Amino acid sequence: MTTRWLTPEEQRAWRAYIAASRLLEDAIDRQLQQEGGMPHLFYSVLATLSDAPGRRLRMTDLAEALKITRSRLTYVVTRLERDGLVRRENCAADKRASLAVLTDEGTAVLERTAPGHVETVRSLLFDRLTAEQVGQLEEICTGIAHRLQGEGAGAGTDDVPWRRRSSCS
């Protein structure tokens, strides 16, 4: 098999993407740690639950929404549960499943933290893009996500984080 090396243009784009994504994630993490005392992933759990009907989601659905492994989500929810921001409930429809539920305290933390988070995202990302570039960014990222999730030709793959089995099980 022949290696399909990146062209100079692709190499520059790849390196720019890596630099931007790491710097953006670091800046968002720092802002959320300073203002909310939590990393970006913890905030994302709270925000995702706040958008869900009844502020609750099955753990497997939450892992899929966040694009993380179930074991990583379990760790995060355990920490948020310890802080009183989330609680777990049994799922009446499926005894094997559990629900993550955003508590009133979690909602309050989210409401206090969201304005600074949104301002950080706006100032570091969207204020630097034209309306056309925002549309292009969405199109590019959606296409990449669909490809990585195996949508289309390889749909149903288990090679996405929320479907992977832990090596410890």
Side-chain angles (χ1 to χ4, degrees), residues 109-163:
V109 167
L110 187 61
E111 289 172 350
R112 279 193 312 272
T113 309
H117 172 66
V118 170
E119 181 54 37
T120 298
V121 171
R122 176 169 298 291
S123 69
L124 295 178
L125 180 63
F126 292 107
D127 286 352
R128 302 187 185 305
L129 302 176
T130 65
E132 181 181 6
Q133 289 172 320
V134 170
Q136 292 168 342
L137 179 64
E138 178 188 7
E139 184 179 344
I140 290 165
C141 292
T142 299
I144 292 168
H146 285 168
R147 173 70 172 108
L148 291 170
Q149 293 176 115
E151 294 177 13
T157 180
D158 283 340
D159 196 25
V160 288
W162 57 93
R163 289 195 194 126

Side-chain angles (χ1 to χ4, degrees), residues 24-41:
L24 184 60
E25 186 64 28
D26 178 70
I28 290 170
D29 255 348
R30 279 185 291 115
Q31 178 270 323
L32 287 168
Q33 285 287 0
Q34 290 169 354
E35 292 184 26
M38 71 182 77
H40 189 202
L41 180 56

Side-chain angles (χ1 to χ4, degrees), residues 36-158:
M38 71 182 77
H40 189 202
L41 180 56
F42 288 35
Y43 176 89
S44 296
V45 168
L46 300 180
T48 302
L49 288 173
S50 77
D51 290 339
R55 300 184 322 185
R56 67 189 66 232
L57 277 174
R58 288 169 52 117
M59 291 283 285
T60 53
D61 295 334
L62 185 54
E64 181 175 357
L66 295 168
K67 311 298 184 230
I68 62 174
T69 62
R70 292 173 289 182
S71 61
R72 186 168 186 204
L73 177 64
T74 298
Y75 170 79
V76 171
V77 168
T78 298
R79 293 281 309 274
L80 291 169
E81 197 173 27
R82 185 188 71 201
D83 295 339
L85 306 179
V86 170
R87 74 175 179 274
R88 278 185 256 217
E89 294 179 352
N90 293 326
C91 179
D94 183 353
K95 298 296 181 198
R96 298 170 299 169
S98 63
L99 302 170
V101 182
L102 183 64
T103 64
D104 290 341
E105 186 176 344
T107 300
V109 167
L110 187 61
E111 289 172 350
R112 279 193 312 272
T113 309
H117 172 66
V118 170
E119 181 54 37
T120 298
V121 171
R122 176 169 298 291
S123 69
L124 295 178
L125 180 63
F126 292 107
D127 286 352
R128 302 187 185 305
L129 302 176
T130 65
E132 181 181 6
Q133 289 172 320
V134 170
Q136 292 168 342
L137 179 64
E138 178 188 7
E139 184 179 344
I140 290 165
C141 292
T142 299
I144 292 168
H146 285 168
R147 173 70 172 108
L148 291 170
Q149 293 176 115
E151 294 177 13
T157 180
D158 283 340

